[in-house]
Amino acid sequence: MYAQVMEGLQVKANGCYLDGTFGRGGHARGVLQQLGPGGRLLLMDKDPEAITHAGQMFAGDTRVAIHRGSFADLARWQQTAAGLDGILLDLGVSSPQLDVAERGFSFGKDGPLDMRMDPDSGQSAAQWLASADEGEIADVLWTYGEERMSRRIARAIVARRQEQALTRTAQLAELIASVVPRGKKHDINPATRSFQGIRIHINRELADLEAGLDAALARLKPGGRLAVISFHSLEDRIVKRFISSHAKAPPGNRRLPEDTSFVPALKAIGGAQRAEPEETASNPRARSAVLRVAEKLEVVA
């Protein structure tokens, strides 16, 4: 959604912009092309491989600063203290992470069952599945993966690990397929929702998103733009509610006095945007992408 993101950010030549999910830098490169000598581009990512790639891509460009970490902590990075004219968050797992079997994100490629965006932090998926109880596993699959067969899958995981440790993505995908009946449409792999749920849990993605949105609002300058690309309903629901809660007064209660204290901090720029057919044809992953854009308002005391 390159064109829509660039339109949404409305990049100013002398502005300061943060890409909180660098990935492989497609959007970041586009922002930098529109910046003048006085502009600044701040780059963040949890993934050390993405940070290495950013360093190679922008080596020697004094307008660029790079920081390894979660966008949830963007307000703690001193480079953001002066305020930002735009922030981009491209959520979820990146294509390079999916494409490398050793990262353990893909049920279609056999690799270590890891799933960590930051491989140096927290438990791997294999470690969590080896220790979590059946109820916790079922709750994660249901809450984050919206998997209707969550209890059946959790039961199968606990039974299997008593016989053999689950350490490979292919092992887990095959186990799930053995207990989840395929529907009439075979275009969705039975492991899709479970892998999504485990990945979101392992990386604390929804908690990071909520913290990152609050941090973004705190660091945006008046007139600054926030652009967020989400890839499933759980993410998009959080983004939509966040923008709405800061753009519109909560519904009134006719039994109570009217609350006149609400002061909007954001303005939604259009509604949900989706990728154009040309993009989805060349990049099937873009089919589920939703972009939302908001602008920070000047708060008058």
Side-chain angles (χ1 to χ4, degrees):
M1 303 187 74
Y2 176 85
Q4 294 99 315
V5 167
M6 294 301 114
E7 174 65 24
L9 287 176
Q10 295 282 291
V11 178
K12 305 174 197 172
N14 293 320
C16 182
Y17 294 85
L18 170 74
D19 183 343
T21 49
F22 177 75
R24 285 300 179 266
H27 291 114
R29 190 185 299 108
V31 171
L32 193 62
Q33 288 172 352
Q34 298 185 48
L35 293 179
R40 292 279 286 158
L41 176 61
L42 310 181
L43 305 175
M44 296 185 74
D45 206 295
K46 290 180 178 181
D47 191 331
E49 293 182 12
I51 293 301
T52 297
H53 189 72
Q56 295 169 345
M57 181 180 290
F58 301 118
D61 195 323
T62 58
R63 298 172 297 171
V64 179
I66 302 169
H67 176 69
R68 180 182 172 187
S70 169
F71 59 72
D73 300 320
L74 69 88
R76 299 180 186 177
W77 186 14
Q78 190 58 34
Q79 294 279 1
T80 70
L84 300 166
D85 294 288
I87 297 172
L88 169 65
L89 305 178
D90 188 356
L91 305 176
V93 64
S94 68
S95 294
Q97 288 168 334
L98 280 172
D99 292 341
V100 178
E102 286 71 23
R103 299 301 301 272
F105 288 102
S106 175
F107 48 77
K109 297 180 176 68
D110 184 34
L113 190 54
D114 195 312
M115 297 195 195
R116 288 174 295 176
M117 293 177 182
D118 179 353
D120 300 324
S121 177
Q123 284 185 311
S124 69
Q127 290 169 329
W128 178 70
L129 287 174
S131 60
D133 63 39
E134 183 179 319
E136 182 183 357
I137 295 171
D139 286 346
V140 165
L141 301 186
W142 171 258
T143 303
Y144 300 138
E146 300 176 296
E147 173 53 70
R148 290 176 296 174
M149 301 288 182
S150 60
R151 294 189 183 280
R152 182 184 295 183
I153 295 169
R155 194 178 309 119
I157 288 172
V158 171
R160 176 65 61 85
R161 77 187 184 191
Q162 293 174 351
E163 303 170 359
Q164 180 185 33
L166 290 167
T167 61
R168 308 286 298 182
T169 55
Q171 278 181 292
L172 180 58
E174 290 166 6
L175 175 61
I176 294 169
S178 72
V179 297
V180 176
R182 276 189 178 270
K184 295 180 181 179
K185 295 183 178 179
H186 299 307
D187 55 339
I188 298 177
N189 188 290
T192 301
R193 293 185 178 89
S194 294
F195 269 62
Q196 172 186 295
I198 295 168
R199 190 203 80 220
I200 289 173
H201 172 73
I202 291 296
N203 293 288
R204 301 184 69 255
E205 292 178 40
L206 300 189
D208 274 10
L209 175 57
E210 290 174 343
L213 291 172
D214 286 336
L217 180 59
R219 281 294 188 251
L220 277 174
K221 299 176 184 177
R225 294 283 185 92
L226 170 66
V228 185
I229 302 174
S230 58
F231 287 88
H232 56 76
S233 60
L234 297 175
E235 294 172 336
D236 184 54
R237 196 175 303 137
I238 291 172
V239 177
K240 182 180 179 180
R241 286 177 178 171
F242 177 82
I243 293 174
S244 179
S245 69
H246 290 284
K248 302 176 185 176
N253 187 330
R254 62 184 179 181
R255 297 181 181 179
L256 298 174
E258 184 179 354
D259 183 4
T260 59
S261 63
F262 179 80
V263 178
L266 290 173
K267 175 178 71 173
I269 306 299
Q273 301 180 51
R274 295 192 174 272
E276 298 294 337
E278 296 81 3
E279 181 175 359
T280 59
S282 60
N283 179 17
R285 184 171 178 257
R287 282 186 219 145
S288 57
V290 177
L291 169 66
R292 294 187 187 272
V293 180
E295 182 177 304
K296 186 170 180 177
L297 300 174
E298 182 83 58
V299 177
V300 179

